[in-house]
């Protein structure tokens, strides 16, 4: 267990603007965490900033309720922020996590540390019959006439399409994924973290349409469809659908890295 502190050799953002945001009134500007040349910006909860600073999903945070589950929490406002930060000269995308950690410590008075805890997980393993997936073809070279694609800090492999229906728990996966990337995204919505134990490092063409019946959390105010709803009654569970492509999700235990929030403030320092 080790606490994080600002180190003098780490680069810091040159200019930072971070302020409370009304999520609904800013939907036209887009949500999520975005990286362009020399700039990071988002309209998002603090958890997404922490994820991109530490590489740990919000489902593995341990800390105050307003930060862990902001959209179900009414005790603290605001829970959503607008961030616009500019790189200093010579900094690259690889410096973003360190610069985010410095910004969070400065503006939100964040103190946090990593901690491994023995947890119940789902182990993603190859089924006895072997994988039933084709390797993804090599990516074509980028077209210099087009803008660069979006950058994803974690995981390092840019995924295909991965979507979850909040009403039904229906999951759609279409595109090129490594097993580690698939496990990363499944961990966001399943009631346990998913740990890649396949031993495969290549990217595969994966097509899944399944329901996650036991989800980690469901945002308040979103009506849930019944299991016999005609819109989803014929959608297979993730456990049976994953077997179709030669994989298994098996209950197991493993040490899982968590981010323990020792201190943080919901109102950032003024710009």
């Amino acid at each position: 267990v080790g606490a994080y502190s600002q180190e003098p050799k780490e680069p810091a953002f040159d200019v930072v603007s971070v302020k409370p945001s009304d999520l609904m009134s800013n939907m036209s500007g887009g949500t999520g965490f975005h990286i362009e040349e020399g700039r990071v910006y988002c309209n998002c909860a603090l958890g997404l900033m922490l994820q991109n600073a530490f590489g740990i999903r919000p489902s593995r945070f341990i800390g105050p309720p307003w930060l862990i589950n902001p959209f179900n929490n009414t005790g603290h406002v605001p829970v959503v922020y607008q961030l616009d930060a500019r790189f200093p000269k010579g900094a690259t995308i690889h410096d973003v996590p360190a610069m985010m950690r410095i910004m969070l410590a400065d503006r939100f008075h964040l103190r946090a540390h990593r901690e491994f805890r023995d947890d119940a997980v789902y182990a993603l393993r190859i089924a006895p019959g072997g994988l039933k997936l084709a390797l993804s073809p090599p990516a074509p070279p980028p077209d210099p006439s087009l803008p660069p694609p979006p950058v994803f800090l974690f995981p390092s492999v840019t995924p295909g399409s991965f979507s979850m229906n909040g009403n039904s728990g229906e999951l759609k996966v279409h595109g090129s994924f490594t097993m580690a990337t698939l496990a990363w995204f499944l961990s966001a919505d399943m009631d346990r973290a998913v740990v890649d134990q396949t031993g495969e490092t290549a990217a595969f063409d994966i097509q899944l349409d399944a329901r996650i019946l036991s989800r980690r959390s469901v945002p308040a105010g979103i009506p849930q469809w019944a299991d016999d709803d005609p819109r989803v009654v014929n959608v297979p569970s993730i456990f049976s659908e994953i077997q179709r492509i030669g994989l298994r999700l098996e209950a197991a235990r493993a040490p899982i890295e968590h981010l323990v929030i020792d201190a943080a403030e919901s109102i950032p320092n003024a710009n």
Side-chain angles (χ1 to χ4, degrees), residues 114-163:
R114 298 175 187 268
E115 188 174 302
F116 280 87
R117 298 189 177 189
D118 185 63
D119 271 357
V121 302
Y122 292 118
L124 182 65
R125 296 167 177 161
I126 298 176
L131 284 175
K132 300 172 184 177
L133 293 168
L135 287 168
S136 297
D143 185 340
S145 67
L146 299 176
V151 175
F152 298 86
L153 285 179
F154 305 102
S156 60
V157 177
T158 302
S161 171
F162 196 102
S163 63

Side-chain angles (χ1 to χ4, degrees), residues 43-67:
N43 188 47
C44 60
L46 186 58
L48 188 56
M49 296 191 219
L50 288 166
Q51 174 178 306
N52 283 279
F54 293 93
I56 299 176
R57 276 203 172 279
S59 57
R60 299 181 193 174
F61 294 169
I62 299 168
W66 67 266
L67 193 157

Side-chain angles (χ1 to χ4, degrees), residues 122-133 135 178-180 182 194-202 204 242-250:
Y122 292 118
L124 182 65
R125 296 167 177 161
I126 298 176
L131 284 175
K132 300 172 184 177
L133 293 168
L135 287 168
T178 64
M179 294 295 134
L182 179 62
V194 178
V195 179
D196 173 29
Q197 295 184 357
T198 63
E200 294 285 350
T201 58
F204 295 87
I242 208 86
Q243 291 181 28
R244 181 183 61 79
I245 61 175
L247 293 166
R248 294 184 298 179
L249 284 168
E250 299 181 333

Side-chain angles (χ1 to χ4, degrees), residues 116-260:
F116 280 87
R117 298 189 177 189
D118 185 63
D119 271 357
V121 302
Y122 292 118
L124 182 65
R125 296 167 177 161
I126 298 176
L131 284 175
K132 300 172 184 177
L133 293 168
L135 287 168
S136 297
D143 185 340
S145 67
L146 299 176
V151 175
F152 298 86
L153 285 179
F154 305 102
S156 60
V157 177
T158 302
S161 171
F162 196 102
S163 63
M164 163 64 73
N165 184 316
N167 300 100
S168 66
E170 185 176 2
L171 172 75
K172 293 182 181 291
V173 180
H174 301 283
S176 176
F177 293 85
T178 64
M179 294 295 134
T181 305
L182 179 62
W184 166 274
F185 281 104
L186 288 174
S187 292
D189 295 295
M190 298 194 71
D191 59 340
R192 302 182 182 187
V194 178
V195 179
D196 173 29
Q197 295 184 357
T198 63
E200 294 285 350
T201 58
F204 295 87
D205 181 31
I206 299 179
Q207 312 290 324
L208 292 173
D209 188 352
R211 285 189 76 196
I212 295 179
L213 300 178
S214 297
R215 284 182 278 169
R216 187 176 303 276
S217 63
V218 178
I222 296 183
Q224 298 302 294
W225 297 353
D227 291 345
D228 60 355
D229 190 295
R231 292 169 289 187
V232 293
V233 69
N234 293 320
V235 179
S237 77
I238 186 62
F239 294 98
S240 59
E241 180 70 348
I242 208 86
Q243 291 181 28
R244 181 183 61 79
I245 61 175
L247 293 166
R248 294 184 298 179
L249 284 168
E250 299 181 333
R253 296 197 70 84
I256 297 297
E257 189 176 36
H258 292 73
L259 184 68
V260 181

